[in-house]
Amino acid sequence: MSRIPQRFIDDLLARTDIVEIINERVPLKRSGHEFKACCPFHDEKTPSFYVSPQKQFYHCFGCGAHGTALGFLMDYDHLDFVEAIETLAGQLGLDVPREGGGEATPRRDDGRDALYAALEAAGQWYRQQLPQHPQAVDYLKQRGLDGETAKRFGLGYAPAGWDGLLRALGGRHSREHLEQAGLLARKDERVYDRFRERIMFPIRDTRGRIIGFGGRVLGDGTPKYLNSNETALFHKGRELYGLYEARQSRAPLDSMLIVEGYMDVIGLAQLGVNNAVATLGTATTREHLQRLFRIVDRLVFCFDGDRAGRQAAWRALEQAIPVMADGREATFLFLPEGEDPDSFVRRHGREAFDQLLREATPLSRFLLDELTERHPGATMEARAALLHEANGLLRELEDGALKTQLVDALAMETRINPERIAQTLRSEAKSPEGEARRPSVNRSQSVHRTPIRTAIALLLAHPKLTAGLPEVDELPSDDGIQGLPLLHELLETVRTSPNITTAGLLERWRGRPELPHLTRLLEWTVIPGDEALAAEFRDAIERIREQHVSQRLDALLAHARRHELDAAQKQELNDLLTRTRSARRD
């Protein structure tokens, strides 16, 4: 069985900057000695996700997500342990070594492989069903799609019936896995196919693996579109339909077009517009935009020109502003009434559509136009209301040229000095409403601070702390104190791997029951400065020794009340009493 050498993993984590890894996926802002952002693992408006460059560790005070760079890649990019290592190694230009023979490598045994296999089998079955149902083929032809495009996007069909998929796959895939993959639904004790009489659109992750499906009903049934439910693989707020296919196309991606429907993505691709994606039945989220801005610098939102379209565009703008930065561009394209992107290109041609893209309304212009429409009039009250709403948006915008220009434009619109507006933004950013402050956590209530826990927390955060501290050699060796074996194991790891980092230490405990406890202890605030750290660690070790002495004295005295002590026990008791009296005199 082959495995990745532990020394390589330690070295890889030592050479990896977790801030850089996370910032490529979730834009971070400096907050003192740390970096912060809105958590990518749950919805929130006030940042509670913190990344420590010193500890090489992230933690969300909202949902509790935490880990190292490896853990972040596993959870955010949906990679297994080996894939995450290979990703980090690839960014550093390193080959991943293996020890031993065979092809087996450490993997997370969390059942995901079975879900991927079930989804792939379902996609194949849906594709096989499509040519057997003329009504489905006719629908696609009516929408102008050809066979090559349908094949490229893996389109299929879920026929009528409650258990067609279940009967087709039930012999090779367990009912439990089919349900966990979102292919089956349950009502009371009844389990049945989730998708029936629908054109099926496989949704793929960045590696091309099917993670879910969208189904478009034939006829007038409801809902018109049905997506897979949230599963271990599929999260609507993160994924984008067509992103994998867009990245696989040979066309250069200098911008991304965000449209409203699956058929828009596919129809545009058939007409040569290969840079379109769609959200999965949800409004555009901040995470969607962060993913796209990691690929391109320009996004174009495409909406209907009616009031509903402009309202959807405003919601997209609210999500876009916090991820905008100098060098990034977001624009809004509003189509003529009755048109969607696919029909517009078919009717007016690719050149006319490209012209619309070039003339799309910049985010700044759309923001100002909407604000003046929402707060019309030249009264002081209308201007104050406009400025109040604008401030709520702009305080989320990163400082830079775009923010400066928007402040100047607002100053002209409201006839207020731009410096006064900038001052208001700065003051609101420091207010309880505007400040995205680190949530306070009363750790004394959640985890009682003991000498053992203090020593472990210090050692985790500062693995080199014990170098040159003779007190460590005087640590009791027996396991009568809870947590002492774990501290000894940490000390031995640090001794044998003197260059190990905090992240490296945590990864040594991946998959072990102690890991959640270690990560909680790592969040404790410790005294800065090498001398202060060493003093606190020495004090913790001394209190552990005192605790050991106290427990041993109690045990010997209790034994003496029931039985006569032997010579060794009497000598030990005498030594402990002498030591205790000496400590009291000191």
Side-chain angles (χ1 to χ4, degrees):
M1 177 179 292
S2 67
R3 66 183 184 89
I4 301 174
Q6 184 63 55
R7 63 181 180 277
F8 176 81
I9 298 175
D10 292 343
D11 182 59
L12 184 65
L13 288 168
R15 298 171 64 176
T16 296
D17 182 0
I18 192 173
V19 174
E20 180 181 337
I21 294 298
I22 295 181
N23 190 55
E24 289 177 353
R25 295 158 174 80
V26 182
L28 299 171
K29 291 186 178 181
R30 181 174 287 279
S31 177
H33 296 294
E34 297 179 325
F35 292 82
K36 65 183 179 182
C38 285
C39 181
F41 303 116
H42 79 287
D43 293 331
E44 63 176 6
K45 295 183 179 179
T46 300
S48 59
F49 180 83
Y50 281 76
V51 183
S52 169
Q54 180 190 37
K55 300 175 184 177
Q56 290 293 298
F57 181 77
Y58 71 88
H59 182 84
C60 176
F61 290 86
C63 68
H66 56 257
T68 64
L70 281 175
F72 184 84
L73 288 178
M74 291 164 68
D75 291 334
Y76 188 87
D77 288 356
H78 307 303
L79 305 179
D80 62 33
F81 183 69
V82 173
E83 290 168 343
I85 289 177
E86 290 172 343
T87 298
L88 291 182
Q91 293 185 357
L92 295 172
L94 303 175
D95 293 327
V96 180
R98 297 297 200 279
E99 291 179 339
E103 297 181 355
T105 53
R107 295 177 64 86
R108 288 191 302 177
D109 185 18
D110 58 5
R112 293 191 180 201
D113 286 348
L115 302 188
Y116 284 123
L119 288 162
E120 192 60 46
Q124 182 179 2
W125 188 75
Y126 291 139
R127 291 193 298 272
Q128 292 170 348
Q129 295 301 308
L130 180 60
Q132 301 177 30
H133 293 82
Q135 72 274 28
V137 177
D138 289 344
Y139 171 80
L140 295 177
K141 288 181 177 178
Q142 291 169 10
R143 294 298 301 263
L145 296 187
D146 56 33
E148 183 179 346
T149 302
K151 181 178 179 181
R152 174 185 170 190
F153 283 86
L155 302 189
Y157 181 67
W162 294 96
D163 60 354
L165 179 73
L166 179 58
R167 285 187 287 107
L169 303 186
R172 292 176 290 144
H173 302 274
S174 72
R175 181 174 296 189
E176 180 183 10
H177 287 147
L178 294 173
E179 188 174 352
Q180 290 175 353
L183 297 167
L184 301 180
R186 178 184 293 271
K187 185 174 183 180
D188 298 325
E189 295 301 316
R190 184 185 181 192
V191 179
Y192 54 91
D193 291 358
R194 178 178 296 276
F195 300 99
R196 304 175 304 280
E197 294 187 271
R198 292 177 181 272
I199 299 292
M200 297 301 293
F201 304 84
I203 302 164
R204 303 181 184 276
D205 64 13
T206 55
R207 299 177 61 193
R209 300 174 295 188
I210 297 177
I211 55 175
F213 289 92
R216 204 282 187 196
V217 71
L218 292 183
D220 299 324
T222 57
K224 182 178 179 181
Y225 279 95
L226 177 67
N227 290 307
S228 293
N229 58 312
E230 295 278 319
T231 70
L233 306 181
F234 180 63
H235 305 279
K236 297 176 185 178
R238 299 183 196 171
E239 306 300 336
L240 290 156
Y241 180 73
L243 182 57
Y244 171 76
E245 288 79 6
R247 299 187 74 174
Q248 290 297 304
S249 70
R250 296 185 179 182
L253 294 179
D254 53 4
S255 65
M256 295 296 292
L257 177 65
I258 304 173
V259 297
E260 296 187 89
Y262 298 158
M263 290 301 297
D264 290 329
V265 172
I266 298 172
L268 287 172
Q270 181 170 296
L271 296 170
V273 182
N274 291 293
N275 61 334
V277 296
T279 57
L280 306 173
T282 65
T284 306
T285 67
R286 191 175 303 184
E287 189 166 358
H288 288 143
L289 304 182
Q290 290 167 341
R291 292 191 69 183
L292 293 175
F293 271 132
R294 291 196 295 270
I295 302 170
V296 298
D297 293 327
R298 183 174 188 260
L299 303 181
V300 183
F301 296 94
C302 188
F303 295 100
D304 293 339
D306 58 13
R307 190 60 201 164
R310 296 190 75 86
Q311 289 175 346
W314 181 259
R315 291 193 295 270
L317 177 142
E318 291 177 321
Q319 296 299 311
I321 282 181
V323 300
M324 294 298 295
D326 291 349
R328 292 178 173 179
E329 184 180 358
T331 61
F332 295 81
L333 189 162
F334 296 100
L335 293 168
E337 186 176 355
E339 295 275 21
D340 57 40
D342 178 27
S343 66
F344 185 92
V345 176
R346 293 182 185 279
R347 187 169 301 168
H348 304 285
R350 171 70 183 273
E351 186 175 340
F353 186 70
D354 288 342
Q355 184 63 29
L356 279 184
L357 292 175
R358 288 191 291 269
E359 296 173 355
T361 305
L363 178 145
S364 56
R365 184 71 265 158
F366 178 58
L367 171 64
L368 295 170
D369 289 347
E370 282 294 305
L371 287 173
T372 53
E373 184 174 333
R374 287 163 176 258
H375 308 284
T379 65
M380 288 186 287
E381 289 81 1
R383 291 170 181 163
L386 186 155
L387 185 58
H388 177 74
E389 185 170 7
N391 282 345
L393 294 167
L394 293 188
R395 69 172 175 237
E396 295 284 334
L397 181 61
E398 183 176 311
D399 291 338
L402 177 59
K403 188 171 187 176
T404 299
Q405 293 178 85
L406 280 170
V407 167
D408 290 343
L410 284 169
M412 293 181 62
E413 188 68 40
T414 58
R415 300 181 185 178
I416 297 177
N417 185 290
E419 180 53 36
R420 293 288 298 276
I421 296 178
Q423 183 179 357
T424 301
L425 286 173
R426 289 193 294 269
S427 64
E428 288 191 1
K430 296 178 181 179
S431 70
E433 294 80 11
E435 169 65 7
R437 293 179 295 178
R438 181 172 183 149
S440 60
V441 177
N442 190 342
R443 296 181 177 87
S444 63
Q445 293 181 1
S446 58
V447 179
H448 177 62
R449 187 181 289 270
T450 66
I452 285 283
R453 288 170 176 161
T454 298
I456 289 175
L458 287 164
L459 187 58
L460 282 172
H462 307 276
K464 299 181 186 295
L465 184 62
T466 61
L469 291 182
E471 290 84 358
V472 174
D473 298 330
E474 301 175 18
L475 193 66
S477 59
D478 66 80
D479 58 357
I481 301 175
Q482 186 176 8
L484 188 56
L486 177 58
L487 178 57
H488 273 294
E489 190 173 357
L490 281 166
L491 288 167
E492 178 63 17
T493 303
V494 170
R495 186 187 68 79
T496 56
S497 303
N499 295 319
I500 198 168
T501 63
T502 297
L505 274 176
L506 288 175
E507 288 298 337
R508 292 289 184 96
W509 267 262
R510 177 173 295 281
R512 293 177 55 177
E514 299 93 341
L515 182 61
H517 182 62
L518 292 177
T519 55
R520 291 181 73 187
L521 294 182
L522 186 58
E523 284 306 306
W524 281 359
T525 301
V526 296
I527 301 172
D530 292 341
E531 292 184 2
L533 287 171
E536 186 174 4
F537 189 79
R538 287 192 188 98
D539 179 66
I541 297 297
E542 178 59 32
R543 284 183 288 144
I544 291 171
R545 289 204 299 265
E546 291 173 357
Q547 183 180 352
H548 166 70
V549 168
S550 177
Q551 290 183 0
R552 188 60 186 154
L553 267 176
D554 290 343
L556 288 172
L557 291 173
H559 185 77
R561 285 193 291 269
R562 298 190 303 270
H563 310 283
E564 184 177 356
L565 300 179
D566 60 26
Q569 290 172 329
K570 289 179 181 179
Q571 183 61 48
E572 182 184 4
L573 178 60
N574 184 60
D575 292 343
L576 290 175
L577 289 171
T578 301
R579 181 175 175 179
T580 301
R581 287 193 293 268
S582 175
R584 287 173 180 169
R585 287 195 299 270
D586 294 341

